[in-house]
Amino acid sequence: MEKHSTGYFGSDGINCDWNDMEKAAISAISRSLIEIAWYFGPQGLNGECCENLTLPEFIALDKVSTTPHCAVQDVGHALGFTKSGATRIVNRLEKKGYVQKLKSHEDGRICCVEITKSGERVLSSADSRYLEQFHTIAEKMPEYTVADTVKLLTAMAKALKG
Amino acid sequence: MEKHSTGYFGSDGINCDWNDMEKAAISAISRSLIEIAWYFGPQGLNGECCENLTLPEFIALDKVSTTPHCAVQDVGHALGFTKSGATRIVNRLEKKGYVQKLKSHEDGRICCVEITKSGERVLSSADSRYLEQFHTIAEKMPEYTVADTVKLLTAMAKALKG
DNA sequence: CAAAACAAGTTGACATCGTCAACATTCTGT
DNA sequence: ACAGAATGTTGACGATGTCAACTTGTTTTG
């Protein structure tokens, strides 16, 4: 459970998963992770998930669309932003017409952010774009089926949250 | 080969890998990808690969360390930046003492960017940090061995470049 | 060989984007 | 009712990348 907290290069050979990999191969893992993160991240795909939507905006919009009575801070938490940053990204989405802000009836301090029809359209379009990208990549991995790749990535995403 | 170029939601059932997944599951893939990209990307890990190094800086430093006679623009290409942006990120690394610029002897226009000892140290430290993160995540995926996960991610990273 | 075209790198002006701190407004607990 | 806490907004700011114009050095071409 805590075996990695004191270093994963442990040379004692006990409780270490990395024994049979040389340092070079290990380093390759972090490069792969970064490669993937960079490719699908904020700078990848020409810096936009689809026309008119950056990656943080996509994530924010997704959060709004999947959260009933979504507060501004909920968006902030999804992104790891401060409440100030949350306000700003929600405002941007509002200016683009993808969300609207409504005062909550239960709590006057809270803004309920809701996705608009236009927002749903662009969200789905961005989704498609990512899927297309993924499909293209998956095709270049003949040693894996698409289903297997999807399964592992899904498990990994789930592990990130847990 | 070209089956996805006309849409991967094809309903004809021919040449379509997505048949047996509902739309929700498909959408989950792009969410997983984004989850991963966000986690390991520029905003993840507190916005720094390790103390004093952002993700673009890490990538730049890695490029420098693996490219003999690395020109400023080589760094730019690795990141998808303009030559102007490349100049700026190299300058930042230089100011931090992680690289140094030398005029090329073969071509007076070119700056050979070289990593310093201090740069190598921080690069390795950032590497470790990523590895640690990965290890933590991998532990939360009991259905896969670390080796299998590594293998797939490596294949995926390779596919991105190809 | 000289002039034009091209390529590498730098720089000033600028746009974007997120943080910090201070603030207004609205709840909550006692 | 009142102190304290929570939500959200805003001005000032810093970080970061682009664009266009420029300098310098190389290559091509007539």
Side-chain angles (χ1 to χ4, degrees), chain A residues 57-71:
Chain A
E57 284 166 0
F58 178 106
I59 296 175
L61 199 52
D62 179 54
K63 179 67 179 174
V64 169
S65 88
T66 57
T67 307
H69 309 295
C70 183

Side-chain angles (χ1 to χ4, degrees), chain B:
Chain B
M1 232 40 160
E2 73 296 338
K3 61 191 171 191
H4 64 289
S5 61
T6 57
Y8 32 83
F9 280 138
S11 54
D12 54 20
I14 299 171
N15 279 339
C16 181
D17 288 318
W18 306 96
N19 288 335
D20 46 358
M21 310 184 202
E22 335 77 87
K23 211 170 171 182
I26 289 177
S27 165
I29 302 167
S30 70
R31 303 312 149 99
S32 297
L33 277 174
I34 287 169
E35 202 89 44
I36 294 167
W38 194 252
Y39 187 89
F40 290 103
Q43 321 281 344
L45 311 183
N46 303 318
E48 31 186 52
C49 295
C50 73
E51 198 190 349
N52 211 7
L53 209 57
T54 65
L55 182 59
E57 284 167 359
F58 177 106
I59 296 176
L61 198 52
D62 179 54
K63 179 66 180 178
V64 169
S65 89
T66 57
T67 307
H69 308 296
C70 184
V72 169
Q73 303 224 41
D74 291 335
V75 174
H77 292 140
L79 288 160
F81 285 1
T82 62
K83 56 185 184 168
S84 169
T87 293
R88 300 222 137 102
I89 201 162
V90 168
N91 284 348
R92 250 181 291 150
L93 289 173
E94 191 182 29
K95 192 166 291 173
K96 291 179 180 177
Y98 299 151
V99 303
Q100 62 183 145
K101 293 198 272 189
L102 304 171
K103 255 204 181 313
S104 167
H105 289 302
E106 286 99 36
D107 187 331
R109 296 168 300 182
I110 294 181
C111 272
C112 288
V113 188
E114 287 179 7
I115 193 167
T116 63
K117 285 291 169 202
S118 167
E120 275 168 11
R121 233 174 296 130
V122 78
L123 187 58
S124 150
S125 148
D127 241 335
S128 298
R129 177 121 182 257
Y130 260 89
L131 255 169
E132 196 169 359
Q133 290 294 322
F134 174 70
H135 199 225
T136 304
I137 301 302
E139 269 182 351
K140 293 181 187 161
M141 301 165 59
E143 65 270 44
Y144 294 96
T145 68
V146 173
D148 281 345
T149 306
V150 168
K151 232 171 93 181
L152 190 140
L153 292 177
T154 306
M156 192 164 164
K158 196 177 150 200
L160 291 180
K161 291 197 240 180

Side-chain angles (χ1 to χ4, degrees), chain A residues 5-161:
Chain A
S5 62
T6 57
Y8 31 83
F9 280 139
S11 53
D12 55 19
I14 299 171
N15 279 340
C16 182
D17 290 316
W18 305 97
N19 287 336
D20 46 359
M21 310 184 204
E22 333 80 84
K23 212 172 170 182
I26 290 176
S27 163
I29 301 167
S30 70
R31 303 314 149 98
S32 297
L33 278 173
I34 287 170
E35 200 89 44
I36 293 166
W38 194 251
Y39 187 89
F40 290 104
Q43 321 281 344
L45 311 184
N46 303 318
E48 31 185 53
C49 296
C50 72
E51 197 190 349
N52 212 9
L53 209 58
T54 64
L55 182 59
E57 284 166 0
F58 178 106
I59 296 175
L61 199 52
D62 179 54
K63 179 67 179 174
V64 169
S65 88
T66 57
T67 307
H69 309 295
C70 183
V72 170
Q73 304 224 43
D74 291 336
V75 174
H77 292 140
L79 288 160
F81 285 1
T82 63
K83 56 183 183 168
S84 169
T87 294
R88 299 222 137 101
I89 201 163
V90 167
N91 285 348
R92 251 181 289 149
L93 288 173
E94 192 182 28
K95 192 166 292 173
K96 291 180 180 178
Y98 299 151
V99 303
Q100 62 185 141
K101 292 198 272 190
L102 304 170
K103 254 205 184 309
S104 166
H105 291 301
E106 287 99 35
D107 187 332
R109 296 169 298 182
I110 294 183
C111 270
C112 287
V113 188
E114 286 180 6
I115 192 165
T116 62
K117 285 292 167 201
S118 168
E120 277 168 9
R121 233 175 296 129
V122 78
L123 187 57
S124 149
S125 147
D127 241 335
S128 297
R129 178 121 181 256
Y130 260 89
L131 255 168
E132 197 169 0
Q133 290 293 322
F134 173 71
H135 198 225
T136 303
I137 302 302
E139 270 183 348
K140 293 182 187 161
M141 301 165 59
E143 64 271 46
Y144 295 96
T145 68
V146 172
D148 281 346
T149 306
V150 168
K151 232 172 93 182
L152 189 140
L153 292 177
T154 306
M156 190 163 165
K158 195 177 150 202
L160 291 181
K161 289 195 239 181

